[in-house]
Amino acid sequence: MGFVLHPRLMADTAVIVDWSLSRVLLMNDKRFPWIVLVPRRPNLAELFDLDETSRTVLTHEIARAAERLKGWASRRGGTDKINVGIIGNLVPQLHVHVVSRKRGDAVWPGTVWGAGQPEHYGAAELMRVVGEIRDAL
Amino acid sequence: MGFVLHPRLMADTAVIVDWSLSRVLLMNDKRFPWIVLVPRRPNLAELFDLDETSRTVLTHEIARAAERLKGWASRRGGTDKINVGIIGNLVPQLHVHVVSRKRGDAVWPGTVWGAGQPEHYGAAELMRVVGEIRDAL
C-alpha cells in the first residue's frame, strides 16, 4: 500500500503543501507556529528507515521549513529558537516537528510535546495561517 | 575562535568519540541510553546555520547514531523508539539529542527534555557504558 497519512496526524493538522519528499502540515495549535513534515513513503518509523538519498532530501526540507518558519514567525510576533523533533512515541509514522519558540511562550523553556492543551485556530484563521505559511515556505 | 563545547554540555555528558563532523557525547543520565551530537564548528545555533554539505554529513551521523544506539539498547534491555531532538532553548550551541526510548521507561510516552531529575551513572559504570557505546557506534 502507498503512503497514507496517519489518522492522528490528519485529525490534528491542516495540509499546507506537498514538497518533493514530505507532506507539510500545520499543527492546529495556535500557541506555536508549528509545522510537521511527513515523508510520503509507506512503512517508515525511524530516520534510518529512509535510504541515504531520501534522508538528505528530508534534511534539506527540514532546514528549509525551519528557516522559512523562522522568517514568518519573526514578522508575526517574534521567534527565539526553532525546535526540531522526531519523536513518534504515540504516532508511529515517521514525522518531523518544526516549531518556532519564543521566550515567554506557553511552555518556554520546556518542549511542546505533551505540554498543556492545544488551542485550536478558528476555521477562517486556520485557512489564513495555512495560506500565509504556504507563501512563506 | 574555534569550536569549544558549551560548559553545560561539558558538565552533563562524557565524551564517547569524535566523528568527522560531530563530537559524540553520552548524557550522564542512566534512565535512558542518550547520546548528544555536537557539530565541531563555532557559532552554530540552528540546523540551517550549517552549509548544505555539512547538514548532509550531520544527518548521516544522526542516522548512524540512532541505528547503532538502537542496536546497543536492544541488546541491553530493549528499545521501542528512537527520539531525536534539536531543541536548544537553554543551551544555544547546536546539538542533537538521540535517545533510546522504551515503553514503561521513566517518562514514557512523554519526552525526556526537562522531565524529572537525571540519575547519574557511577564513575565506573559511566566509563563502562561509554566504552560499550563507543564499540557499538
Side-chain angles (χ1 to χ4, degrees), chain A residues 45-48 51-53 55-56 59-60 62-64 66-68 70 80-92 94 101 103 108-111 113, chain B residues 45-48 51-53 55-56 59-60 62-64 66-68 70 80-92 94 101 103 108-111 113:
Chain A
E46 301 281 4
L47 184 61
F48 50 81
D51 63 87
E52 283 205 15
T53 305
R55 236 183 270 157
T56 302
T59 307
H60 295 313
I62 295 169
R64 175 176 166 179
E67 191 161 19
R68 305 293 172 85
K70 180 180 176 176
D80 291 303
K81 189 69 187 69
I82 301 297
N83 290 176
V84 175
I86 309 177
I87 318 292
N89 299 347
L90 295 172
V91 173
L94 179 63
R101 305 298 310 280
R103 283 186 191 85
W108 182 271
T111 52
W113 301 287
Chain B
E46 301 281 3
L47 183 61
F48 50 80
D51 62 88
E52 283 206 15
T53 306
R55 238 183 268 158
T56 301
T59 306
H60 295 313
I62 295 169
R64 175 176 167 178
E67 191 160 20
R68 306 292 173 84
K70 181 180 176 176
D80 291 301
K81 189 69 188 70
I82 301 297
N83 290 175
V84 175
I86 309 177
I87 318 291
N89 299 347
L90 295 171
V91 173
L94 179 63
R101 304 298 308 282
R103 284 186 190 83
W108 182 271
T111 52
W113 303 287

Side-chain angles (χ1 to χ4, degrees), chain A residues 38-52:
Chain A
V38 187
R40 298 197 315 279
R41 303 271 177 82
N43 306 318
L44 301 174
E46 301 281 4
L47 184 61
F48 50 81
D49 293 336
L50 281 171
D51 63 87
E52 283 205 15

